[in-house]
Amino acid sequence: MFNKKLVDTRTQPVARTGDAAPRFSDSDLYSLAEKHGTPYFLVDEATLRKKVSEMEQGFSEYKGVFRVAYSVKANFNPSVIKAFASEGILFDLTAPSELTFVLKSGGSAENVMYTSITETASEYEQVLKAGVRKVVVASYNGLVNLAEAAARANIKVKTMIRVNPEVHVHAELRGSMGHGKFGLQFNGGSPDSALYVLKKILGTPLLGFEGFHFHLGSQIEDPACYAEAIEKLEAFILGARRQLGDFRVSTLDIGGGLPVPYGRKVPTPKDLGTKIVGQLNSLVESIGDRFTLVAESGRFLTAESTVLVTRVVNVKSFGDTKYIYVDAGYNVLLDSALLRHEYPVEVVPGGRPSPQKIALVGRLCDPLDVFPISSRSKLGGASVGKLVVFREVGAYSLVMNMPFHSQPRPPVLMRNGQGSYFVARKAHDVEKLYADEGGDCLPS
Ligand SMILES: *Cc1c(COP(=O)(O)O)cnc(C)c1O
């Protein structure tokens, strides 16, 4: 079933990685491998910062204030959070434990937008007491719980409503279309609708109404869905004002979903901005509120900053295919197995394209542990001892590392703005892994 994914290196074009993709010299990659072993993740801090400014530039024509938010779930490494915190951006969080990470890594509660899935009164009380003031609700129960928490803590909350605009989303991962898990319908005819929840917020003194939020999906390659969602939201706001009287919209959060190249051509923040900023500026006119515009990204802000460096440990011919075995598996890149997600992959140093087909396989004893590789990858010249670099792996990868096959977690290294390298997450060693997995529960 994986044969489709095998690369015929005779016709392989040059990989095209994102413009922002950091370059690490071959000698740096080898000396870090020497010092820390393989596999290791390597993050470039300058790229994290560059992605923030790319988003800001994309929306520079917006006539109100535009703010970038970082969805911490994509990569909660403390050094990554710290870099974003020093940029002064907002944080999109879903759990009190994420708030702990942000606060301990230099972020401040006042820059948090708290968007829970569980929406319990106790978690709301916990985050309000820790200083969070902006909360996004997405169910009627959630609203009741927030009101209860606000009353218990006697704290006034800027309350946003997460709507699910039910638009068609052309994306790798869909957060909106056909999926009712997230957000409220505009007019569902039950208390679980944006109109009803808005009415309750306007009638609850401790809940100040702040604005609206939607999140359409991840890796959105056609920005048309944003335009459609904004259009539906505008109609809703104007209709709701006729029914409920005037209310101010102070913030509009258009969610995440900005795509990452992964070696292909995808829309940039500038492309998205060109498509929707005019519409957002008209929305400001039509509703008469110069709202703060927020875009919250996880994947876009982190993916390109990071590479995974592995080493070829074995090669084998089988029929017309050359199998390249590396010392990592889907335990470190889970979505390559789950979603058949393709990263641009390169042998370092590169060599002449192999006359054979190539299969890149991991070290796990599991048939799923075959890395999907695309025509963008450059795997010619692979031999035992060489490094194989997976690019653009900074999002949804190291946060999903797992110890399958008793594999200790690899270290995360980082290059800071001055160009020096430091350890941003220590490797698990096998002794620690053994203890964590229950070794320390055995009677001595
Ligand atoms: C996951 C998530 C994001 C980030 O999505 P990306 O595709 O990584 O940009 C933003 N907002 C919400 C509510 C999310 O759940």
Side-chain angles (χ1 to χ4, degrees), residues 95-107:
S97 49
E98 289 185 332
L99 180 61
T100 303
F101 271 59
V102 166
L103 297 180
K104 287 175 86 77
S105 307

Side-chain angles (χ1 to χ4, degrees), residues 269-284:
K270 198 82 208 160
D271 295 332
L272 176 61
T274 304
K275 179 112 189 160
I276 65 171
V277 164
Q279 187 187 9
L280 290 162
N281 285 335
S282 324
L283 178 62
V284 167

Side-chain angles (χ1 to χ4, degrees), residues 34 51 54 68 80 107 127 131 211 221 237 257 298 369 371 395 402 421:
E34 203 59 43
K51 302 313 282 183
E54 275 179 38
V68 173
V80 170
V127 300
E221 296 192 13
I237 293 171
D369 196 34
F371 291 105
M402 58 179 175
Y421 293 96

Side-chain angles (χ1 to χ4, degrees), residues 55 69-74 92-94 115-117 136 162 173 175 182 213-220 226 253-260 295-302 395-396:
M55 282 181 70
Y70 173 50
S71 274
V72 167
K73 72 165 187 253
D92 161 45
L93 308 183
T94 306
T115 309
S116 174
I117 303 297
V136 183
R162 179 170 184 173
L173 304 153
F182 307 111
H213 168 280
F214 57 76
H215 171 63
L216 302 177
S218 201
Q219 191 66 7
I220 297 177
Y226 290 95
D253 182 341
I254 61 170
L258 274 169
V260 167
E296 56 189 29
S297 274
R299 187 183 297 276
F300 178 82
L301 288 172
T302 54
Y396 307 108

